[in-house]
Amino acid sequence: MQLDWLHLGTLVAVAHVLGAIAACHAILNTRTSQGAIAWAVSLVSMPYLTVIPYLFLGRSRFKGYVDARRVEYEILRQQHGEMTAHAHGAAPSAAHGDAAGGALLDQLGPHAITALSSLARMPFMGGNHVRTLVNGEATFAAIFDAIEAARHYVLVQFFIVRDDALGGRLKDLLLKKAAQGVRVYFVYDSIGSHDLPHRYIDALRRGGVDIHAFATNRYFVNRFQLNFRNHRKIVVVDGAHAFVGGHNVGVEYLGAKAPLSPWRDTHIEIRGPVVRQLGFVFVEDWYWATQRLPEIARPDDPPGGGMFCQVIASGPADKQETCSLFFVAAINAARERIWITSPYLIPDEAVFAALRLAVMRGVDVRILIPSRRDHLVVFAASRLYAHEMVRAGIKVCRYRPGFLHQKVVLIDSIAAAVGSANLDNRSFRLNFEIMVMTVDRGFAAEVEAMLTADFEQSYPVDPTEFASAPAWRRMAMHVARLFSPIL
């Protein structure tokens, strides 16, 4: 018995020493003070429960990644310098937007345009056409039709790829196009697609599809690192079509998986010069994953329309916190309304402050979130943030029919953004994300009609919901929020 107590005491001491070491590492390396505090307190007080999770969620070996990425980014930008040739401020033309479109872009505000262009390091480009694809059936029908018509190359990137009925359709179509001589490049996230079987990947490779996993450590596929995921969803076909949004490849995104069905999501189809920006983002990620450039010719500007668009690609290696600042810039640009939909509601202080100030200046601020949960801790933290937002005068609604996964921002009657970024810290600082901002009254009206229909199928968060909840549930919400910087 005495020996057992000795062993137990040794284990406890070792756990606390490891916790203290890990806490020091967290303080030195975590990107935000809130995240550093959350990790340090939990590692020191509960090392038995948090040291192992910290190995998976807290470790960051990003310095070399950042340095290499900056060098590669500049090399790629020089090679694709034509992409930045058409910035706002140049004389509008039929090919790159008209005078009316340029005037509308100016209505978004010169400060907003300058801030967004600086964040994105890509300009607004005119001459585009964008349409919404509501839910999975419309999204994948459009994507598959575009791939079916491909003649030169197809670029595919998803966070989650499953070997199910939908994943099988995508695999068969890509194999068909590869057999026809079309170059097919496929990137999937190594963590998001952790259960993708080798037989799926091997079948694509044998059929001529160039497929690779994206991982933030080139020499080791992050078996002990679950952060820094590539959450982007991009499809580019022949430089003429591009698709961006919230859908991944799995039958649940078609609404075929209970208990979250029907699944509510949004993608967009894009034609025009801005497709080159999306292709560049894919090329950058592909180069990181493979150290090779895809063999694709630069296409001529495809026919588009009169819309101005900009791609905002963000990630944890950015010099600035691009994703968080994008939301702040979008909120600050609003004069009449700012509507945001997101499956997760865990904003940082900057975004929360921008939302409160928007309410104070008379802007119609609405946020749409799910009524069903897919992550227990995230949902609990989101409930507390929803309560605080309602107290601040923000209208927060819960989507009733099924799980809401779309990521959409509507600014006044002028602009809308659709992409992969959620309203949470993971998108702000840990994930690689992509959003496409479109400035066009017709497209903004289309998004407004879509969101209006969604709000009609939702119910507002009750201001008394938090106070009337049992004490244990209120405590659980507060405990969950402690972990919000690392959720």
Side-chain angles (χ1 to χ4, degrees):
M1 177 65 70
Q2 192 173 24
L3 185 61
D4 290 340
W5 279 110
L6 178 62
H7 286 166
L8 180 61
T10 301
L11 290 174
V12 169
V14 168
H16 278 279
V17 169
L18 292 175
I21 294 172
C24 293
H25 183 274
I27 292 171
L28 292 173
N29 293 281
T30 305
R31 288 170 63 92
T32 67
S33 58
Q34 297 94 331
I37 292 171
W39 276 121
V41 170
S42 59
L43 286 165
V44 170
S45 61
M46 299 178 293
Y48 334 100
L49 301 177
T50 54
V51 169
I52 298 300
Y54 184 71
L55 291 176
F56 287 86
L57 297 171
R59 293 170 60 251
S60 173
R61 300 176 62 185
F62 237 58
K63 186 177 186 301
Y65 172 75
V66 171
D67 294 341
R69 188 175 173 88
R70 285 174 183 164
V71 173
E72 292 163 359
Y73 192 96
E74 294 305 325
I75 293 173
L76 292 175
R77 182 169 289 277
Q78 291 173 9
Q79 294 178 356
H80 294 73
E82 71 281 353
M83 181 182 57
T84 62
H86 305 290
H88 173 57
S93 67
H96 299 289
D98 53 24
L104 183 63
L105 190 62
D106 289 334
Q107 290 182 29
L108 190 60
H111 297 299
I113 298 299
T114 301
L116 289 169
S117 298
S118 297
L119 276 175
R121 299 190 67 191
M122 295 182 185
F124 278 90
M125 300 182 75
N128 303 287
H129 176 75
V130 183
R131 72 179 179 114
T132 56
L133 299 169
V134 179
N135 289 329
E137 292 292 345
T139 294
F140 286 102
I143 290 175
F144 290 164
D145 286 347
I147 295 175
E148 184 70 54
R151 294 183 299 165
H152 305 294
Y153 66 86
V154 177
L155 313 178
V156 179
Q157 180 173 0
F158 285 100
F159 175 60
I160 295 172
V161 180
R162 302 201 191 281
D163 186 14
D164 56 17
L166 182 62
R169 289 173 59 194
L170 177 63
K171 179 182 69 174
D172 292 344
L173 181 56
L174 295 180
L175 288 172
K176 174 184 175 182
K177 299 310 294 185
Q180 294 173 358
V182 174
R183 294 187 179 276
V184 181
Y185 299 92
F186 194 164
V187 174
Y188 63 93
D189 185 79
S190 59
I191 301 301
S193 303
H194 67 277
D195 58 351
L196 186 65
H198 289 295
R199 66 176 180 272
Y200 186 99
I201 300 166
D202 292 341
L204 285 168
R205 284 180 178 157
R206 287 195 303 269
V209 174
D210 208 341
I211 180 171
H212 287 274
F214 182 94
T216 52
N217 187 326
R218 290 174 177 165
Y219 308 107
F220 184 65
V221 189
N222 288 330
R223 296 184 186 276
F224 298 102
Q225 179 55 265
L226 299 183
N227 282 330
F228 313 122
R229 309 167 189 174
N230 196 313
H231 195 239
R232 296 169 183 159
K233 297 92 174 170
I234 303 171
V235 176
V236 178
V237 178
D238 288 342
H241 282 72
F243 301 87
V244 172
H247 288 95
N248 288 296
V249 180
V251 294
E252 64 266 38
Y253 294 88
L254 299 177
K257 189 174 182 180
L260 298 178
S261 60
W263 193 276
R264 177 68 187 91
D265 220 327
T266 297
H267 240 67
I268 52 175
E269 178 184 11
I270 309 161
R271 298 170 183 253
V274 80
V275 172
R276 292 208 307 271
Q277 293 186 1
L278 292 163
F280 176 78
V281 174
F282 179 92
V283 167
E284 186 187 25
D285 287 345
W286 179 263
Y287 187 80
W288 178 256
T290 68
Q291 288 297 282
R292 293 184 288 109
L293 291 174
E295 297 180 18
I296 55 176
R298 187 185 80 81
D300 295 330
D301 287 347
M307 302 180 183
F308 276 88
C309 296
Q310 180 191 48
V311 172
I312 301 99
S314 60
D318 297 349
K319 291 182 179 180
Q320 305 288 342
E321 292 178 343
T322 305
C323 189
S324 174
L325 291 175
F326 159 73
F327 278 98
V328 171
I331 296 164
N332 288 340
R335 295 295 175 264
E336 300 171 4
R337 67 178 162 204
I338 182 80
W339 293 359
I340 302 174
T341 69
S342 173
Y344 313 117
L345 182 60
I346 307 179
D348 61 13
E349 284 300 318
V351 171
F352 197 3
L355 290 169
R356 294 197 300 268
L357 286 170
V359 171
M360 292 178 187
R361 63 176 186 266
V363 174
D364 174 16
V365 182
R366 303 186 195 181
I367 297 178
L368 185 62
I369 57 177
S371 61
R372 303 186 193 181
R373 66 175 184 237
D374 66 336
H375 298 295
L376 180 61
V377 177
V378 176
F379 189 80
S382 294
R383 290 188 66 180
L384 185 55
Y385 279 107
H387 165 70
E388 293 182 349
M389 286 190 173
V390 170
R391 289 182 58 193
I394 300 167
K395 184 177 181 180
V396 182
C397 296
R398 296 192 182 278
Y399 185 71
R400 194 187 303 272
F403 187 71
L404 178 120
H405 191 253
Q406 64 176 332
K407 306 93 167 44
V408 179
V409 180
L410 176 64
I411 305 171
D412 296 338
S413 300
I414 297 175
V418 180
S420 67
N422 298 314
L423 203 63
D424 67 356
N425 186 69
R426 180 162 294 281
S427 285
F428 292 166
R429 296 178 178 87
L430 300 178
N431 285 349
F432 296 84
E433 304 285 5
I434 190 161
M435 298 292 286
V436 176
M437 175 77 82
T438 299
V439 180
D440 181 79
R441 288 194 183 278
F443 182 72
E446 185 179 338
V447 172
E448 178 188 356
M450 178 185 73
L451 295 185
T452 298
D454 290 336
F455 277 110
E456 288 174 352
Q457 298 183 77
S458 67
Y459 61 91
V461 172
D462 189 339
T464 65
E465 176 184 292
F466 178 79
S468 60
W472 67 267
R473 183 169 293 171
R474 296 198 302 270
M475 177 61 72
M477 293 181 203
H478 280 281
V479 171
R481 187 169 66 171
L482 291 176
F483 294 93
S484 61
I486 56 177
L487 290 177

